[in-house]
């Protein structure tokens, strides 16, 4: 394959020294960085590999914890969390693969990896949101509810139907939007792919905002401020998507580095929150035994 | 107001905790004490006790009817506590 110019789809390419030297005005948007495809330094590939392995490891740890809870309780709505995190981990894998295809100048697989990565990431967030969306419909609950919850009127059938429709929309949107974009125009150019990435990242922002609100409200209601790590972790994942949107408008390597830091820190905070919650329950168990 | 329907896991947990509680205070766990602690009808409580016994979470003496939790039952209580903490921590 001959070397050709390409708009930046994978932000890791921003770390390539040549990406900072040349820029041009795109047909529809603000400035895009234009660089020559292929031949990335080993350090960039290595850095990407480290970030990918760390992301996959953290996502797998979170998924294992939640899968164990699902296996123990059999509550279907809990399954959205491990599946979502596994899919987010898999999306990181495609981010790295995209970079590898870029370095070997395989443009079609490079853009395909980008497309798969976007779809998987949005689908992962949508599945996590589904757990929060369906928790109220679970009917039987495990823990005693707050007094205010008892005063709330029971959910109506219309509300149930609306939640079902919303769940379907949330789950199908990431896949349907990206597939329909391909059906309308089978070969998307880089500019169109970048536009698609903007829409999916905006979808991710909305979904993560919803998850953040849903996770923080019960903790604030129960005045459980020690457990605010998880909403903070979701806020960091929101910030990652926001940083990636900044990269869309202004190919800024600082925003990209920031997005990597907040992603890894967010996932690590999530693992810490789970570990903290579980070790806390174990310690309490020991106190009761004494 | 009608009380919230309890999940089966929660009922198992409450029965196992009631057994432990009764053993701590009275040295033995009697079905009537467990029934009182769990706020269940005797029939329903016995149905759950039979299921817990079938799953080897509790042990019931044939002659006296006294109940004690097995190591599997204690592990269940521990895992249930972890699950609740996990669910609480993520706001679910």
């Amino acid at each position: 394959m001959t070397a050709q110019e390409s708009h930046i789809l994978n932000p890791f390419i921003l770390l390539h020294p040549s990406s900072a030297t040349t820029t041009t005005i795109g047909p529809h948007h603000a400035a895009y960085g234009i660089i020559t495809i292929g031949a990335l330094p080993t350090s960039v590939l290595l850095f990407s590999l480290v970030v990918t392995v760390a992301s996959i490891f953290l996502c797998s740890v979170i998924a294992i914890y939640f899968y164990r809870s699902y296996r123990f309780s059999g509550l279907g709505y809990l399954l959205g969390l491990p599946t979502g995190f596994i899919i987010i981990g898999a999306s990181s894998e495609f981010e790295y693969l995209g970079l590898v295809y870029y370095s070997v100048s395989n443009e079609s697989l490079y853009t395909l990896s980008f497309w798969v990565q976007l779809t998987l990431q949005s689908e992962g967030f949508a599945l996590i949101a589904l757990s929060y969306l369906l928790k109220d419909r679970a009917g039987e609950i495990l823990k005693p509810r707050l007094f205010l919850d008892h005063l709330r009127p029971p959910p109506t059938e219309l509300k149930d139907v609306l939640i079902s429709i919303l769940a379907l929309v949330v789950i199908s949107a990431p896949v349907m939007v990206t597939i329909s974009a391909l059906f309308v125009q089978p070969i998307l150019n880089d500019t169109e792919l970048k536009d698609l990435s903007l829409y999916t990242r905006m979808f991710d922002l909305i979904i993560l905002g919803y998850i953040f609100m849903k996770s923080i409200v019960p903790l604030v209601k129960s005045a459980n401020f020690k457990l605010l790590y998880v909403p903070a972790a979701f806020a960091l994942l929101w910030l990652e998507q926001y940083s990636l949107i900044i990269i869309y408008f202004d190919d800024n390597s600082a925003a990209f580095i920031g997005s990597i830091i907040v992603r890894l820190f967010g996932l690590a905070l999530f693992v810490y929150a789970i570990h903290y919650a579980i070790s806390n329950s174990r310690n309490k168990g020991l106190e009761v035994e004494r | 107001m009608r009380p919230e329907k309890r999940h089966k896991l929660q009922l198992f947990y409450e029965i196992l905790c009631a057994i432990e509680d009764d053993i701590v205070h009275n040295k033995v766990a009697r079905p009537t004490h467990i029934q009182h602690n769990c706020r269940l009808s005797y029939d329903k409580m016995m149905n759950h006790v039979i299921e817990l016994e079938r799953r080897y979470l509790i042990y019931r003496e044939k002659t006296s009817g006294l109940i004690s939790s097995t190591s599997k039952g204690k592990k269940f209580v521990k895992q249930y506590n972890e699950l609740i903490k996990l669910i609480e921590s993520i706001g679910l």
Side-chain angles (χ1 to χ4, degrees), chain A residues 69 132 142-143 219 282, chain B residues 10 80 82 86 88 90 92:
Chain A
S69 305
Y132 285 92
L142 284 178
K143 53 186 176 178
L219 296 176
R282 280 182 188 156
Chain B
Q10 191 184 351
Y80 185 89
E82 283 181 14
L86 192 65
E88 266 180 12
I90 57 169
L92 267 177

Side-chain angles (χ1 to χ4, degrees), chain A residues 84-138:
Chain A
F85 277 105
I86 283 288
I87 290 176
I88 291 169
S91 79
S92 313
E93 169 80 31
F94 279 95
E95 188 178 39
Y96 176 70
L97 277 179
L99 203 64
V100 170
Y101 290 132
Y102 178 88
S103 67
V104 295
S105 304
N106 192 336
E107 200 189 7
S108 56
L109 283 176
Y110 164 58
T111 51
L112 184 70
S113 305
F114 175 71
W115 181 85
V116 174
Q117 185 225 332
L118 276 182
T119 312
L120 286 181
Q121 195 173 46
S122 297
E123 196 60 49
F125 289 135
L127 280 165
I128 295 168
L130 196 69
S131 280
Y132 285 92
L133 194 65
L134 296 181
K135 71 164 181 176
D136 296 329
R137 276 194 54 194

Side-chain angles (χ1 to χ4, degrees), chain A residues 65-66 68-69 72-73 75 77-78 81 131-132 135 139-143 145 150 214-215 218-219 224 227 230 270 274 277-278 281-282 284, chain B residues 1-11 13-14 20 24 74-92:
Chain A
Y65 271 118
F66 285 116
R68 273 173 56 197
S69 305
F72 175 73
S73 66
L75 295 170
Y77 73 92
L78 283 179
L81 284 152
S131 280
Y132 285 92
K135 71 164 181 176
E140 295 171 330
I141 51 157
L142 284 178
K143 53 186 176 178
R145 295 209 152 181
H150 288 289
K214 277 284 191 181
S215 62
L219 296 176
N224 211 341
L227 296 176
V230 169
F270 213 109
I274 294 169
I278 288 179
S281 77
R282 280 182 188 156
K284 276 190 180 171
Chain B
M1 192 175 283
R2 200 177 158 195
E4 192 93 40
K5 194 180 174 189
R6 283 177 285 181
H7 192 273
K8 204 171 185 177
L9 278 184
Q10 191 184 351
L11 285 169
Y13 172 78
E14 286 180 8
E20 287 300 308
V24 168
K74 283 170 184 146
K75 194 179 166 192
F76 174 90
V77 172
K78 201 176 116 190
Q79 282 184 324
Y80 185 89
N81 277 327
E82 283 181 14
L83 173 73
I84 292 299
K85 279 284 165 196
L86 192 65
I87 287 177
E88 266 180 12
S89 72
I90 57 169
L92 267 177

